[in-house]
Amino acid sequence: MTKINDKLYCVKLIDYTANPDLTFELLSSLETYFMSYEDRESGAMYLVAYSETPEGAAEIRRQIEKNMPFWSEAGAVFSDVEEFELAREEWSEVWKKYFHIIHIADNLVIRPSWLEYNPQPHQAVVNIDPGMSFGTGQHATTAYCLKMLAKNAGNKQFKRVLDAGCGSGILAIAAKLLGYESVTAFDYDPDCITVSKENMQCNALTPQDIDLFVGDATTYATDQLFDLACVNILSPILCAHAPRIIGWVRQDGLLALAGILTRDFDALSATFTAAGAEELDRFTEKEWTSGLFRRIK
């Protein structure tokens, strides 16, 4: 008999909205991560959410169907909500074709475990596979934070790193493999912590290498200030807690802020500037903008 943890319980729906910003905003209210893939012939976007239990999948479907009338009024066009089961092994095979080796920078490479790669002596290689938690280096916001980690690796002024909203743990793992002295990571979702631990093991890292725990960005406080904090969470939370987030880093410390829709970034930058940070850089890819800020007070 197949154990329950050998399966994923899935909910699929089709999105004809043709507005990624609107789709993201509506689905983010469910606090469930959706994977997506596009049917190029029809233009439809298939969205799939996953749960560890059939009860979890049923609750996701219930929430979707409950919200459908409101989403329709907002202009969203969703259809064909469907539940199905998928073996983890089958899921991995389905998604393999969408993942490849990513050269983040000269000193950092992201490698799915099934692909061969011979690293150069100076390169850190993060082994990570697609999973239920966000973060494989494919998404623009994750890639930006990885680039900031790679850029500042080896700089003696940057030893202590925080990964807030760690998801799969990819940023924390990359930081440790790049040689940062102290790495701390948290996420409000306990499942993300479980996945992060598994990914640490895949990269020969132990609990002594990364201080990993369940935490909430809206309440997290620390006496130990960081040199660089990667904060990959939604802009409403960033803006609502800007002073707290700035307070995570030392004077002149850096904040890599990601997970921000481009249309919201100017307002976010103004909020962080008013709270005591200075914008140093911004990068836009598709509908996402990420930025680097320095604490000035």
Side-chain angles (χ1 to χ4, degrees):
M1 180 179 293
T2 303
K3 295 180 181 179
I4 191 170
N5 61 3
D6 289 335
K7 289 184 178 180
L8 295 177
Y9 299 88
C10 311
V11 181
K12 182 186 75 174
L13 66 157
I14 304 177
D15 176 21
Y16 293 99
T17 305
N19 183 342
D21 291 359
L22 177 60
T23 297
F24 178 84
E25 283 198 14
L26 296 177
L27 294 183
S28 66
S29 66
L30 301 181
E31 297 184 350
T32 298
Y33 177 55
F34 284 81
M35 293 290 288
S36 63
Y37 60 95
E38 182 180 5
D39 183 336
R40 296 187 182 277
E41 292 184 5
S42 67
M45 185 69 69
Y46 291 84
L47 303 163
V48 184
Y50 303 91
S51 175
E52 297 281 351
T53 66
E55 294 80 11
E59 176 61 18
I60 293 171
R61 180 170 186 167
R62 190 186 72 79
Q63 290 293 336
I64 290 173
E65 292 177 339
K66 174 184 174 183
N67 283 282
M68 278 284 197
F70 306 103
W71 292 346
S72 179
E73 291 178 5
V77 183
F78 296 128
S79 68
D80 299 334
V81 182
E82 175 188 351
E83 288 184 55
F84 63 96
E85 296 179 8
L86 193 65
R88 287 182 182 273
E89 295 81 1
E90 184 179 350
W91 183 90
S92 298
E93 293 299 321
V94 167
W95 288 99
K96 277 184 179 180
K97 64 181 179 179
Y98 296 102
F99 293 86
H100 52 85
I101 291 171
I102 306 173
H103 293 263
I104 297 295
D106 288 343
N107 59 342
L108 180 60
V109 173
I110 309 300
R111 182 185 78 94
S113 64
W114 62 87
L115 296 178
E116 294 292 332
Y117 181 73
N118 295 317
Q120 299 298 313
H122 65 283
Q123 288 180 328
V125 178
V126 177
N127 299 308
I128 194 158
D129 292 342
M132 291 181 67
S133 295
F134 180 81
T136 60
Q138 302 273 345
H139 197 279
T141 58
T142 308
Y144 183 83
C145 291
L146 288 168
K147 289 175 182 177
M148 293 303 103
L149 288 168
K151 180 179 179 180
N152 291 286
N155 185 332
K156 294 182 179 179
Q157 296 182 32
F158 293 91
K159 298 180 180 180
R160 299 181 300 278
V161 169
L162 172 67
D163 178 7
C166 63
S168 67
I170 185 173
L171 299 180
I173 291 167
K176 195 62 185 180
L177 296 180
L178 282 165
Y180 286 94
E181 186 176 296
S182 172
V183 180
T184 300
F186 68 82
D187 199 290
Y188 77 95
D189 186 347
D191 289 338
C192 290
I193 301 305
T194 300
V195 172
S196 293
K197 290 179 179 178
E198 292 172 355
N199 287 329
M200 286 171 59
Q201 292 176 353
C202 292
N203 287 274
L205 296 176
T206 71
Q208 287 69 45
D209 293 311
I210 298 174
D211 181 14
L212 178 67
F213 54 91
V214 175
D216 189 332
T218 65
T219 58
Y220 175 67
T222 176
D223 293 329
Q224 165 136 13
L225 301 183
F226 298 94
D227 303 311
L228 170 61
C230 297
V231 190
N232 191 359
I233 56 180
L234 299 177
S235 58
I237 297 176
L238 290 172
C239 289
H241 299 275
R244 173 185 297 277
I245 292 169
I246 293 171
W248 294 342
V249 299
R250 60 167 170 79
Q251 185 82 17
D252 293 323
L254 299 180
L255 290 163
L257 304 182
I260 307 153
L261 292 170
T262 298
R263 67 184 186 191
D264 297 332
F265 194 86
D266 285 339
L268 177 138
S269 181
T271 298
F272 272 77
T273 297
E278 172 189 24
E279 182 184 337
L280 302 178
D281 175 68
R282 69 171 66 183
F283 175 77
T284 299
E285 183 175 335
K286 296 182 180 179
E287 69 269 26
W288 301 98
T289 296
S290 303
L292 186 68
F293 291 79
R294 179 173 66 92
R295 178 180 178 177
I296 57 176
K297 64 180 181 180

